[in-house]
């Protein structure tokens, strides 16, 4: 059995809708109108020990709901979940020893008390030996640079400082798995980088398994060897980020700079009416954006160099960020390259 096994899991929330009209409130009180929200439609995946997996998807896709089920906060409406051999919802206490969890938008620290008090409470809750506790606290607070914050009330910390403390709190009891739900949301570049470096270290050196949701592509590039994409409660991709880049990045931009505007204009004119090519000229610089599935790069370059010698020439593929948002927008089938086959193969791999 894998460390995490998710089998045809569903989560349906039942919400009550307030009726409209004069007696709406009253009617709702006695005869509430129920509506079902399918947050997770049906997902299956497994994660092995030591993996670091990005769990991506647009807002409302079902990411947090999945994490809440994996950590036992929510009970699945159908299917089965095993985490470290346990059913998280049924064996909540036992499974909490195996997992650490950080929600970027929620705190597990006691707001008005010094940071250290929350850590002490966690030591008690998880029955961490004093030796282990002091060892972990010393090691983690050094790497995360939070040593000087331990006596400060949580409410006085900046978001970046608090997040570092949250991550430390989640790891004090040496969990095997760390779930991170948008841990870098709202942080500045430096704070993000610090957190990434730490998470990378505990994955590499301690073999802690990671499942991470994020909207920051740098988090994924730096931390995750595997990417799962969920959309409308369904898993639409499970594979490497490289695979997405190789097979879905269809757009490429060539930027050519010239010594004179006449050459730039002449080059721009060559490509002005090609299908699948967009040309943008800015005095001495020509930017050519094209679809690699429709336009042959070497042909394009030959024509370009034929016309005038550029002073500088660079080529750039569509950014991963743009790519993933395009997959959110268009789905995996919206892709001109081999379409669904790729997604199916990737999932089968
Ligand atoms: N407690 C709840 N009650 C009703 N609907 C919920 C609840 N929690 C989440 N949802 C709905 O389930 C869907 C998935 O939410 P969520 O898992 O938070 O998405 P994500 O984390 O990917 O943004 C959304 O449509 C959301 O409104
Ligand atoms: Mg969420």
């Amino acid at each position: 059995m894998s460390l995490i096994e998710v089998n045809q899991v569903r989560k349906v929330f039942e919400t009550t809708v307030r009726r409209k009209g004069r007696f709406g409130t009253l009617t709702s009180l006695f005869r509430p109108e129920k509506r079902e929200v399918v947050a997770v439609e049906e997902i299956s995946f497994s994660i092995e020990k030591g993996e670091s997996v990005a769990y991506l998807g647009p807002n409302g896709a079902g990411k947090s709901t999945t994490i809440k089920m994996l950590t036992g906060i929510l009970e699945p409406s159908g299917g089965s979940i095993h985490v470290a051999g346990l059913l998280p919802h049924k064996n909540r206490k036992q499974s909490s020893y195996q997992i650490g969890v950080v929600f970027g938008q929620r705190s597990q620290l006691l707001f008005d008390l010094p940071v250290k008090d929350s850590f002490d409470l966690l030591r008690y809750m998880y029955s961490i030996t004093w030796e282990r506790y002091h060892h972990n606290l010393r090691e983690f607070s050094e790497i995360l640079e939070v040593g000087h914050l331990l006596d400060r009330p949580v409410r006085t910390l900046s978001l970046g400082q608090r997040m570092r403390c949250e991550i430390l709190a989640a790891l004090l009891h040496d969990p095997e798995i760390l779930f991170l739900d948008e841990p870098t949301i709202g942080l500045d570049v430096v704070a993000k980088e610090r957190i990434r470096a730490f998470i990378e270290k505990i994955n590499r050196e301690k073999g802690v398994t990671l499942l991470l949701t994020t909207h920051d592509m740098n988090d994924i590039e730096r931390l995750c060897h595997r990417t799962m994409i969920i959309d409308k409660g369904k898993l639409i991709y499970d594979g490497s980020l490289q695979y997405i880049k190789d097979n879905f990045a269809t757009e490429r931009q060539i930027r050519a700079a010239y010594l004179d505007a006449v050459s730039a204009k002449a080059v721009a004119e060559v490509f002005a009416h090609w299908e699948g090519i967009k040309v943008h000229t800015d005095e001495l610089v020509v930017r050519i954006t094209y679809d690699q599935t429709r336009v042959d790069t070497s042909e394009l370059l030959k024509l370009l160099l034929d016309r005038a010698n550029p002073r500088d020439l660079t080529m750039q593929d569509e950014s991963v960020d743009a790519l993933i948002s395009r997959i959110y927008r268009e789905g995996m089938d919206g892709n001109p390259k081999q379409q669904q086959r790729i997604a199916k193969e990737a999932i089968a791999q």
Side-chain angles (χ1 to χ4, degrees), residues 308-322:
N309 258 337
R311 178 178 60 78
D312 185 39
L313 190 69
T314 54
M315 235 191 259
Q316 201 171 31
D317 282 345
E318 192 175 7
S319 74
V320 181
D321 209 353

Side-chain angles (χ1 to χ4, degrees), residues 57-65 67-68 103 105 181-182 213 215:
N59 286 331
K63 303 181 296 293
S64 296
T65 303
I67 292 195
K68 285 175 192 162
F103 288 101
Q105 325 236 45
D181 194 354
E182 312 213 21
T213 82
H215 284 283

Side-chain angles (χ1 to χ4, degrees), residues 108-110 113-138 150-152 154 165 168-173:
Q108 70 160 323
L109 304 174
L110 303 162
L113 299 180
V115 176
K116 189 96 182 331
D117 289 14
S118 293
F119 292 169
D120 282 339
L121 183 65
L122 290 165
R123 188 201 68 76
Y124 175 76
M125 277 166 55
Y126 289 109
S127 324
I128 308 168
T129 64
W130 280 108
E131 194 191 346
R132 189 91 289 235
Y133 176 73
H134 286 306
H135 175 274
N136 283 353
L137 189 57
R138 202 177 321 116
L150 300 182
D151 294 322
R152 281 181 43 188
V154 173
C165 294
L168 198 158
L171 288 168
L172 269 178
H173 61 292

Side-chain angles (χ1 to χ4, degrees), residues 110-311:
L110 303 162
F111 209 58
D112 287 315
L113 299 180
V115 176
K116 189 96 182 331
D117 289 14
S118 293
F119 292 169
D120 282 339
L121 183 65
L122 290 165
R123 188 201 68 76
Y124 175 76
M125 277 166 55
Y126 289 109
S127 324
I128 308 168
T129 64
W130 280 108
E131 194 191 346
R132 189 91 289 235
Y133 176 73
H134 286 306
H135 175 274
N136 283 353
L137 189 57
R138 202 177 321 116
E139 182 184 345
F140 297 154
S141 57
E142 201 175 299
I143 316 173
L144 285 165
E145 297 175 52
V146 298
H148 63 296
L149 304 173
L150 300 182
D151 294 322
R152 281 181 43 188
V154 173
R155 68 181 145 72
T156 68
L157 304 181
S158 74
L159 182 61
Q161 292 172 331
R162 208 199 76 211
M163 281 318 294
R164 271 142 55 204
C165 294
E166 298 277 356
I167 292 175
L168 198 158
L171 288 168
L172 269 178
H173 61 292
D174 285 324
E176 219 181 331
I177 308 165
L178 183 61
F179 295 103
L180 300 147
D181 194 354
E182 312 213 21
T184 57
I185 197 163
L187 300 184
D188 62 64
V189 182
V190 180
K192 279 183 179 178
E193 199 42 46
R194 261 191 190 155
I195 286 180
R196 269 179 215 134
F198 178 73
I199 295 173
E200 187 180 28
K201 197 174 160 76
I202 57 131
N203 173 246
R204 295 260 160 89
E205 291 175 12
K206 292 188 190 283
V208 174
T209 306
L210 299 177
L211 183 69
L212 161 83
T213 82
T214 182
H215 284 283
D216 189 320
M217 294 305 139
N218 295 315
D219 288 349
I220 307 161
E221 301 229 33
R222 171 85 183 258
L223 296 171
C224 304
H225 78 291
R226 172 177 166 195
T227 299
M228 296 196 286
I229 303 180
I230 180 177
D231 189 24
K232 300 187 191 82
K234 282 190 184 145
L235 210 57
I236 60 167
Y237 178 78
D238 186 349
S240 69
L241 190 62
Q242 192 58 44
Y243 196 93
I244 295 183
K245 285 194 207 168
D246 291 346
N247 292 281
F248 288 82
T250 57
E251 230 173 67
R252 177 176 281 170
Q253 193 181 72
I254 294 180
R255 178 188 175 278
Y258 296 88
L259 287 170
D260 58 285
V262 179
S263 301
K265 197 154 172 265
V267 169
E269 269 165 15
V270 175
F271 300 104
H273 303 294
W274 271 37
E275 217 177 299
I277 294 188
K278 273 179 280 178
V279 186
H280 179 84
T281 322
D282 186 6
E283 292 267 334
L284 303 177
V285 177
V286 182
R287 285 195 177 78
I288 300 167
T289 311
Y290 65 101
D291 181 339
Q292 291 182 72
T293 58
R294 295 164 73 192
V295 178
D296 186 68
T297 304
S298 59
E299 289 277 311
L300 193 154
L301 280 175
K302 218 162 88 199
L303 275 171
L304 183 118
L305 294 168
D306 240 17
R307 203 32 83 101
N309 258 337
R311 178 178 60 78

